[in-house]
């Protein structure tokens, strides 16, 4: 089954404690992306990757890091989380930006 | 940077009514997509429009891309309770996606 998986689905942490949210896709897609979704603001793109070892900043990259060492994986790293990073995070992948973008199930992060 | 404005933000209608959701921007997009999102799930793509003036139909849903590729609309005919959800437009420029603020639709049986 074609899918994008994210882990964990729910995470409660404290300010400053480094965390990683994993994302994996099994569709051999070139393009992967991370978004955050906040009430009234819609989805905002954090980082995206056009291919292995190629990553670019989206609209709201501050406080986040990503890496693309393998085509299927695109982890999101918060080196020092802060409460304003409390949000619902989605990973997505697609063959290219004009094609169907498949979203993962989401990770709800709370930073205390 | 919020490039796409959706209206209305909330919409509650009776089953069988028609509705239109608007997605407006001052920016030009190479393509525009519409998604529907159910609670607790990720967005699911409904359609992609690429050409200015393009109209696409998906059963009771009609999507239009503005001539200048700056705006789009989604029209639902004879809404059904199964249409309930959050509708999101997303413009693509360069290799980046810019999502609208969303329209939460409730169709009352």
């Amino acid at each position: 089954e074609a899918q994008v998986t994210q882990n964990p689905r729910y995470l409660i942490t404290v300010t400053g404690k480094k965390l990683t949210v994993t994302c994996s896709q099994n569709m051999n897609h070139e393009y992967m992306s991370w978004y955050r979704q906040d009430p009234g603001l819609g989805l905002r793109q954090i980082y995206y990757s056009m291919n292995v070892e190629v990553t670019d900043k989206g609209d709201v990259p501050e406080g986040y890091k990503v890496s693309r060492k393998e085509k299927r994986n695109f982890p999101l790293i918060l080196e020092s989380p802060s409460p304003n990073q409390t949000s619902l995070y989605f990973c997505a992948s697609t063959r290219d930006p004009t094609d169907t973008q498949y979203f993962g199930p989401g990770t709800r992060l709370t930073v205390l | 940077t919020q490039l796409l404005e959706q209206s209305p933000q909330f919409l509650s209608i009776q089953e069988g009514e028609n509705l239109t959701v608007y997605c407006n921007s001052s920016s030009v997009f190479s393509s525009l997509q519409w998604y529907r999102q159910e609670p607790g799930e990720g967005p699911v793509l409904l359609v992609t429009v690429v050409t200015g003036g393009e109209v696409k139909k998906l059963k009771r849903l009609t999507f239009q891309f503005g001539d200048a590729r700056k705006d789009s609309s989604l029209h639902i005919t004879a809404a059904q309770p199964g249409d309930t959800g959050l509708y999101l437009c997303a413009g693509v420029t360069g290799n980046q996606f810019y999502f609208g603020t969303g329209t939460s639709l409730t169709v009352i049986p």
Side-chain angles (χ1 to χ4, degrees):
Chain A
E1 179 190 355
Q3 61 181 355
V4 178
T5 57
Q6 294 178 229
N7 282 293
R9 293 289 313 276
Y10 301 91
L11 180 59
I12 301 174
T13 189
V14 295
T15 299
K17 187 176 182 182
K18 181 179 178 180
L19 66 93
T20 299
V21 184
T22 64
C23 172
S24 183
Q25 51 95 3
N26 63 0
M27 295 167 278
N28 201 37
H29 285 161
E30 307 283 339
Y31 187 104
M32 296 187 74
S33 185
W34 275 103
Y35 298 89
R36 61 178 289 173
Q37 186 172 30
D38 301 288
L41 296 177
L43 280 103
R44 292 178 291 169
Q45 195 171 35
I46 302 170
Y47 270 95
Y48 63 96
S49 169
M50 295 294 292
N51 211 328
V52 176
E53 301 293 359
V54 179
T55 62
D56 286 289
K57 295 178 181 179
D59 217 18
V60 286
E62 294 77 20
Y64 305 94
K65 284 176 58 178
V66 292
S67 68
R68 189 91 181 273
K69 291 182 169 52
E70 305 166 282
K71 198 172 190 178
R72 64 182 293 123
N73 296 323
F74 191 44
L76 178 69
I77 303 156
L78 283 72
E79 295 269 5
S80 184
S82 61
N84 64 12
Q85 292 179 298
T86 292
S87 186
L88 179 59
Y89 291 86
F90 288 100
C91 180
S93 75
T94 179
R95 186 174 58 86
D96 70 65
T98 62
D99 206 345
T100 301
Q101 187 170 205
Y102 295 88
F103 282 79
T107 295
R108 186 165 291 282
L109 172 66
T110 302
V111 183
L112 301 174
Chain B
T1 306
Q2 190 65 55
L3 298 181
L4 282 163
E5 294 288 338
Q6 274 185 248
S7 61
Q9 190 176 355
F10 299 96
L11 192 53
S12 181
I13 61 171
Q14 294 291 133
E15 181 176 359
E17 292 183 355
N18 302 331
L19 67 111
T20 302
V21 178
Y22 299 94
C23 177
N24 295 305
S25 176
S26 58
S27 302
V28 176
F29 295 103
S30 57
S31 64
L32 195 135
Q33 300 178 335
W34 284 92
Y35 293 80
R36 189 171 83 189
Q37 184 179 18
E38 307 283 351
E41 298 180 7
V44 175
L45 181 70
L46 296 173
V47 77
T48 299
V49 285
V50 178
T51 306
E54 182 176 3
V55 177
K56 279 192 174 179
K57 292 191 175 183
L58 187 67
K59 297 183 181 178
R60 294 177 293 100
L61 278 61
T62 302
F63 305 86
Q64 185 163 8
F65 201 11
D67 291 341
R69 290 187 288 126
K70 292 182 178 181
D71 52 78
S72 181
S73 63
L74 157 61
H75 183 78
I76 301 179
T77 303
Q80 299 176 359
D83 295 327
T84 293
L86 179 67
Y87 289 81
L88 297 159
C89 63
V92 182
T93 183
N95 294 313
Q96 275 190 255
F97 285 84
Y98 295 91
F99 276 80
T101 47
T103 295
S104 180
L105 171 65
T106 302
V107 182
I108 303 165

